[in-house]
């Protein structure tokens, strides 16, 4: 059975930064990269807001560079998906099917996934007009008309952010009452650039293809009250129906909030189980940026290193 002082579950900016710091602290971390090595950034294109890259960098490239940097100091990756953990006693055990690893400490950086509508055409136009992240892609919709789906704080925040670029933003919501907090509702209503389309759901995303490049042109919307269909011309579609933290592995093990995000103590990355630390989007539904995730990955590694030292493991 392979044993490590630190096992990191998840390989986005949080996990790979935790790996870099733990490796440089001589803790020989093992990273389980999971089903999407590199995390959510590997499905974006240009990352223009990660400091240090004035010309921007491609998401997958940024993650490759982070991984290389961690490996350079002795971190090791396994391209496997953890199936269960047992933290009832130490060392903890991490299971990948029948294979078992043991660890003195765990860093959880399993991230979150944007919720999608689940339409075939949404998948088809993802990256070609459809996006689940205004902060990542809003800039590409300068002087275009866009729609945002959802009625919660995420949708309001996305819509407000998009008013900086788009000529018109339409929030499409399946009811006629917003779920968003009063303050966010007021901001959206006051902005003057956001229109609301109530009682409507997207049936299909439609577009054209020129020289092999797909481009969305309109949505087919269904009125939820009378079932009527209409074509709604728009060049961008942002899905703002929330995120789902990837915390299934830790149900009944780690403390979570009502939305399933891991709860960390105060300003630290400590969870409710001694020796388990959480960082990145799995414990952050507020900032959710690559750079803030990387920062919390650094914190988790430092917390783990100090905790291990307190246990006499160095
Ligand atoms: P919410 O669950 O609050 O809202 C999701 C919205 O999407 C709801 O309006 C819901 O409709 C709609 N929706 C869900 N599924 C579908 C679907 N399949 N088709 C169409 N519409 C759908 O998620 P949020 O991400 O907005 O917020 C999560 C938490 O994060 C909240 O606590 C929020 O306050 C917080 N947050 C805070 C921010 C801030 O303070 N700046 C920014 C972002 C999030 P319905 O209302 O009908 O259920």
């Amino acid at each position: 059975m392979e044993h490590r002082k630190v096992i990191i579950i998840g390989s986005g900016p949080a996990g790979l930064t935790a790996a870099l710091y733990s490796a440089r602290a001589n803790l020989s971390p093992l990273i389980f990269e999971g089903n999407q090595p590199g995390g959510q950034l590997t499905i974006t294109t240009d990352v223009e807001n990660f400091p240090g890259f004035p010309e921007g960098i491609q998401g997958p490239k940024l993650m490759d560079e982070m991984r290389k940097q961690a490996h350079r100091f002795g971190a090791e990756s396994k391209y496997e998906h953890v199936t269960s953990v047992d933290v009832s006693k130490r060392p903890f055990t991490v299971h990948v099917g029948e294979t078992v690893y043991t660890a003195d400490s765990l860093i959880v950086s399993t991230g979150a996934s944007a919720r999608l509508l689940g339409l075939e055409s949404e998948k088809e136009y993802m990256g070609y007009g459809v996006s689940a992240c205004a902060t990542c892609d809003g800039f590409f919709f300068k002087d275009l008309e866009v729609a945002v789906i959802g009625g919660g704080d995420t949708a309001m925040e996305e819509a407000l952010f998009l008013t900086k670029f788009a000529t018109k933003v339409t929030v499409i919501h399946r009811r006629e009452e917003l779920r968003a907090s009063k303050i966010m509702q007021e901001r959206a209503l006051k902005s003057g650039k956001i229109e609301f389309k109530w009682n409507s759901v997207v049936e299909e995303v439609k577009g054209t293809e020129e020289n092999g490049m797909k481009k969305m042109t309109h949505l087919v919307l269904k009125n939820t009250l009378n079932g009527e269909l209409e074509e709604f011309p728009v060049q961008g579609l942002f899905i703002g129906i929330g995120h789902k933290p990837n915390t299934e592995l830790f149900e009944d093990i780690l403390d979570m909030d009502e939305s399933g995000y891991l709860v960390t103590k105060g300003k630290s990355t400590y969870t409710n189980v001694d020796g388990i630390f959480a960082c990145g989007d799995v414990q952050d539904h507020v900032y959710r940026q690559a750079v803030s995730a990387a920062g919390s990955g650094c914190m988790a590694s430092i917390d783990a290193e100090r905790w291990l030292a307190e246990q006499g493991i160095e």
Side-chain angles (χ1 to χ4, degrees):
M1 213 179 310
E2 191 170 339
H3 178 79
R4 295 289 173 125
K5 289 174 190 155
V6 180
I7 283 184
I8 298 167
I9 308 178
S11 57
L16 293 180
T17 305
L20 167 65
Y21 272 75
S22 307
R24 295 193 74 254
N26 265 344
L27 294 169
S28 317
L30 180 62
I31 316 155
F32 284 101
E33 297 238 0
N35 290 338
Q36 191 177 41
Q40 289 184 80
L41 276 192
T42 59
I43 54 163
T44 60
T45 48
D46 286 325
V47 179
E48 295 181 332
N49 55 8
F50 201 89
F53 300 93
E55 306 303 326
I57 182 166
Q58 295 283 306
K61 167 107 171 119
L62 178 61
M63 299 323 296
D64 281 347
E65 301 287 14
M66 280 194 197
R67 182 180 295 107
K68 269 190 219 151
Q69 197 174 352
H71 285 183
R72 178 178 153 212
F73 295 101
E76 194 190 325
S77 290
K78 293 242 182 238
Y79 296 89
E80 291 171 337
H81 188 72
V82 173
T83 46
S84 66
V85 293
D86 181 355
V87 303
S88 55
K89 55 183 184 323
R90 292 206 297 259
F92 305 127
T93 56
V94 171
H95 303 245
V96 176
E98 300 295 305
T99 315
V100 182
Y101 299 82
T102 56
D104 296 311
S105 69
L106 287 181
I107 294 179
V108 182
S109 50
T110 45
S113 312
R115 286 185 206 275
L116 297 176
L117 300 173
L119 302 170
E120 207 40 57
S121 55
E122 165 192 52
K123 232 190 274 167
E124 191 186 334
Y125 284 94
M126 186 57 71
Y128 300 95
V130 178
S131 166
C133 174
T135 330
C136 322
D137 301 326
F139 186 76
F140 305 113
F141 293 83
K142 213 164 169 0
D143 300 328
L144 299 177
E145 295 191 4
V146 301
V148 176
I149 309 298
D153 279 340
T154 295
M156 295 311 109
E157 199 170 62
E158 301 266 288
L160 282 161
F161 186 77
L162 288 165
T163 60
K164 294 181 199 193
F165 311 103
T167 46
K168 190 173 118 191
V169 179
T170 307
V171 171
I172 299 172
H173 185 33
R174 62 184 177 185
R175 297 185 293 139
E176 53 194 336
E177 192 191 341
L178 295 173
R179 177 182 295 279
S181 56
K182 278 280 164 298
I183 182 159
M184 295 295 281
Q185 292 196 24
E186 274 167 25
R187 274 188 213 154
L189 293 168
K190 269 198 212 144
S191 95
K193 257 177 139 185
I194 301 178
E195 289 184 11
F196 289 85
K197 191 149 187 68
W198 306 111
N199 302 312
S200 302
V201 290
V202 178
E203 284 281 291
E204 206 179 341
V205 181
K206 295 243 186 187
T208 53
E209 192 166 334
E210 269 172 44
N211 304 326
M213 263 304 258
K214 276 182 285 201
K215 194 166 117 189
M216 77 170 275
T217 53
H218 62 280
L219 302 173
V220 178
L221 299 184
K222 185 166 105 183
N223 186 302
T224 53
L225 302 179
N226 58 23
E228 272 176 25
L229 297 179
E230 77 168 293
E231 289 201 342
F232 190 81
V234 78
Q235 289 101 41
L237 175 69
F238 287 80
I239 317 290
I241 61 174
H243 289 78
K244 195 179 148 305
N246 301 319
T247 46
E248 298 82 358
L249 274 180
F250 301 99
E251 261 160 39
D252 303 322
I253 296 178
L254 296 180
D255 284 351
M256 299 178 191
D257 68 12
E258 65 283 357
S259 308
Y261 287 86
L262 298 185
V263 175
T264 46
K265 290 185 186 166
K267 289 182 178 168
S268 78
T269 63
Y270 278 74
T271 66
N272 58 304
V273 176
D274 253 10
I276 305 187
F277 306 87
C279 53
D281 285 13
V282 74
Q283 52 86 57
D284 167 27
H285 64 76
V286 179
Y287 301 105
R288 294 199 311 247
Q289 300 301 300
V291 66
S292 50
S296 74
C298 154
M299 290 163 61
S301 172
I302 291 175
D303 283 345
E305 185 188 339
R306 289 181 183 161
W307 181 84
L308 286 166
E310 280 165 23
Q311 316 305 310
I313 304 166
E314 291 185 51

